[in-house]
Amino acid sequence: MKNVLVTGACGFIGSNLCHSLLIDGYSVTGVDAFTENYASEIKKKNLTLLEEFNSFKLLECDLLNVDLTKLVEGADVIFHLAGQPSVHNSWGNDFEIYSKRNVMLTQKLLRAAEEAKTPRFVNSSSSSVYGRVISTPTKEFDEKRPISPYGVTKLAAENLVTLYGTEFGLSTVSLRYFTVYGPRQRPDMAFNRLIHAGYTKNRFPLHGDGSQIRDFTFVGDVVEANKLAAFSELTPGSVFNIGGGSPISLREVIVSLEEIMDLKIEIEESPLGPGNPMITTADCTAAGSELGWKPKMNIYEGLKAQVLWQLEQA
């Protein structure tokens, strides 16, 4: 039984990853600070599913304020998912929070992992590091020009992860997620809000006209990418795109949700706002060849899974 450490264990992706690892028979130590970026009650509900396993242990703490040396000791893999999410909220006074939770925290954890000689460090990065792309689909070594403070901090954190791999030999890998969706999605994210708006008969505030295209990625596929990244032979500092494989517009997503939910979602358009590229699509050739990974869930079936999950929560 391998011992794994998962930061951000009770969040959207983290709780899905922990649950899968526990089913697979791993001993999982989860860390979560239950920060205020969304209701802690939602994360606590995710936690109840994990506490059904005797092989799960939760440490409730802020990693910025604890000694990480003992925390990482004995971990065969560190899955680093903790951080401050959301492009929209990263502007203005909150940038200090993003800097601390996305950059400083990552550096602190990397240093502890390097001292402990942790066999593998898997970092959760974001397609936001690319910004407005010149060509699509985007490859890992294409130019990175983030257009939001969130993207800036994720790129800085990713660069640190790569540096600890190339300069210290720490076995690091970063996964750049492209717009993740599915069960347990955060309440501030678009699909969750769309589904909620449909069932509550409220208007959904659509940023832009809905023509923006995203490579939406099902959370189960992201979980699988993490597990493959943890246990594959890789060059330290490796980086991989993790995308859903079928880029579509937000308007097309709305049409699909209306069909699945058998109702009309009322839309109220607003300006697109800063930090939002019109298109993000992933070239996942490297993940396929080096990790043996490819997305399995198509967008329509993935949307049905999220709708069903949200109905169960109501």
Side-chain angles (χ1 to χ4, degrees), residues 10-256:
C10 299
F12 167 33
I13 302 173
S15 63
N16 277 283
L17 174 60
C18 285
H19 194 242
S20 180
L21 289 166
L22 290 163
I23 289 172
D24 289 346
Y26 294 101
S27 177
V28 179
T29 298
V31 183
D32 210 294
F34 297 97
T35 53
E36 71 287 350
N37 57 311
Y38 63 98
S40 62
E41 290 78 13
I42 296 173
K43 300 175 191 177
K44 293 284 177 68
K45 195 169 185 177
N46 294 339
L47 173 62
T48 60
L49 297 171
L50 308 179
E51 289 180 326
E52 295 175 2
F53 294 83
N54 293 329
S55 52
F56 177 78
K57 176 175 67 174
L58 175 72
L59 299 176
E60 183 175 347
C61 63
D62 186 339
L63 293 171
L64 284 166
N65 300 320
V66 298
D67 180 4
L68 298 183
T69 304
K70 188 174 182 180
L71 188 73
V72 305
E73 192 175 87
D76 296 300
V77 183
I78 296 173
F79 294 97
H80 180 39
L81 294 99
Q84 190 72 3
S86 176
V87 167
H88 298 294
N89 297 330
S90 65
W91 303 90
N93 293 333
D94 282 350
F95 183 68
E96 182 178 356
I97 298 173
Y98 282 79
S99 298
K100 288 180 178 179
R101 292 180 182 168
N102 292 347
V103 183
M104 294 176 64
L105 172 54
T106 301
Q107 190 277 334
K108 186 179 180 184
L109 191 61
L110 283 164
R111 184 176 179 184
E114 192 274 326
E115 290 177 352
K117 307 302 179 189
T118 303
R120 180 60 55 87
F121 187 106
V122 183
N123 176 57
S124 290
S125 189
S126 167
S127 61
S128 293
V129 303
Y130 291 115
R132 292 190 182 93
V133 297
I134 298 172
S135 62
T136 58
T138 307
K139 297 179 174 63
E140 284 84 355
F141 292 103
D142 285 354
E143 185 177 18
K144 286 162 281 294
R145 297 174 60 189
I147 57 174
S148 69
Y150 169 75
V152 168
T153 61
K154 293 301 286 186
L155 180 56
E158 184 189 293
N159 284 339
L160 285 167
V161 173
T162 300
L163 285 173
Y164 270 79
T166 59
E167 304 307 308
F168 292 101
L170 181 65
S171 185
T172 66
V173 55
S174 289
L175 304 177
R176 292 181 187 145
Y177 306 148
F178 282 68
T179 318
V180 187
Y181 73 99
R184 303 182 209 166
Q185 190 185 53
R186 299 194 323 266
D188 61 298
M189 296 182 75
F191 289 8
N192 191 307
R193 291 165 55 231
L194 273 166
I195 296 165
H196 181 75
Y199 282 128
T200 58
K201 302 187 185 306
N202 290 314
R203 287 180 175 271
F204 175 78
L206 176 64
H207 297 291
D209 62 4
S211 63
Q212 56 267 41
I213 293 171
R214 296 289 181 267
D215 204 346
F216 298 107
T217 314
F218 189 68
V219 67
D221 287 327
V222 170
V223 165
E224 186 63 23
N226 270 270
K227 294 195 292 185
L228 289 169
F231 305 115
S232 300
E233 290 292 329
L234 298 172
T235 302
S238 295
V239 180
F240 299 101
N241 287 335
I242 302 299
S246 301
I248 63 171
S249 71
L250 192 52
R251 277 288 181 185
E252 291 175 285
V253 168
I254 293 170
V255 170
S256 293

Side-chain angles (χ1 to χ4, degrees), residues 240-301:
F240 299 101
N241 287 335
I242 302 299
S246 301
I248 63 171
S249 71
L250 192 52
R251 277 288 181 185
E252 291 175 285
V253 168
I254 293 170
V255 170
S256 293
L257 282 173
E258 289 176 332
E259 183 177 307
I260 292 166
M261 299 165 69
D262 193 24
L263 51 76
K264 181 71 175 177
I265 300 173
E266 296 298 324
I267 301 297
E268 182 176 348
E269 289 188 15
S270 61
L272 183 61
N276 291 293
M278 285 305 298
I279 182 168
T280 61
T281 63
D283 183 323
C284 298
T285 304
S289 61
E290 296 190 46
L291 299 178
W293 178 89
K294 65 178 181 179
K296 296 178 181 177
M297 181 68 80
N298 69 63
I299 184 68
Y300 194 83
E301 293 302 315

Side-chain angles (χ1 to χ4, degrees), residues 292-312:
W293 178 89
K294 65 178 181 179
K296 296 178 181 177
M297 181 68 80
N298 69 63
I299 184 68
Y300 194 83
E301 293 302 315
L303 287 173
K304 285 169 65 175
Q306 180 163 345
V307 168
L308 178 61
W309 173 77
Q310 285 190 228
L311 280 173
E312 292 171 347

